[in-house]
Amino acid sequence: MEKIVDDLDSLVPKLTQYEDSQRALVLVRMCFAQKFTFWLRTVEPGVVHRLAIQFDEAVERAFRGVLGIDEELTREQWQQVVLETKHGGCGVASAAK
């Protein structure tokens, strides 16, 4: 399973180099952040939790890269990112949540 997360992590630079940042952000929200969902639903939570945290870190790097943010997000900022859009967030799915 670590290979799966590593393979997904290797996509982060491609997302951050996408020419149109709005389209890249949609790809992060609607596609990339959803890639780990199958494993979350089919593997024991104790087994997948550490990998879910790693995947969330990759999603955060992709999000920051698309928006051109160099610093890591604080916990509060990340909570705002994963908050649903109807509640004022960015609507990015969290695997570890």
Side-chain angles (χ1 to χ4, degrees):
M1 287 201 53
E2 288 184 30
K3 182 177 177 350
I4 294 165
V5 173
D6 291 339
D7 289 345
L8 291 170
D9 192 35
S10 69
L11 297 174
V12 171
K14 293 178 183 177
L15 286 167
T16 61
Q17 295 171 357
Y18 201 77
E19 292 177 16
D20 185 348
S21 61
Q22 287 184 327
R23 289 182 184 177
L25 189 55
V26 168
L27 287 174
V28 169
R29 282 185 60 231
M30 305 303 249
C31 300
F32 185 69
Q34 305 299 326
K35 289 288 187 183
F36 205 66
T37 304
F38 171 77
W39 300 107
L40 292 172
R41 293 178 188 215
T42 57
V43 178
E44 288 285 327
V47 174
V48 78
H49 183 70
R50 181 180 53 82
L51 296 172
I53 292 170
Q54 284 181 265
F55 182 71
D56 274 0
E57 291 169 356
V59 171
E60 180 188 340
R61 281 193 309 279
F63 181 83
R64 287 186 297 116
V66 167
L67 296 180
I69 302 170
D70 294 328
E71 307 90 39
E72 289 188 20
L73 300 177
T74 64
R75 183 180 176 139
E76 292 79 20
Q77 290 169 330
W78 179 246
Q79 287 175 346
Q80 185 77 32
V81 170
V82 298
L83 191 64
E84 294 179 19
T85 55
K86 67 182 177 182
H87 297 297
C90 295
V92 175
S94 170
K97 187 175 176 184

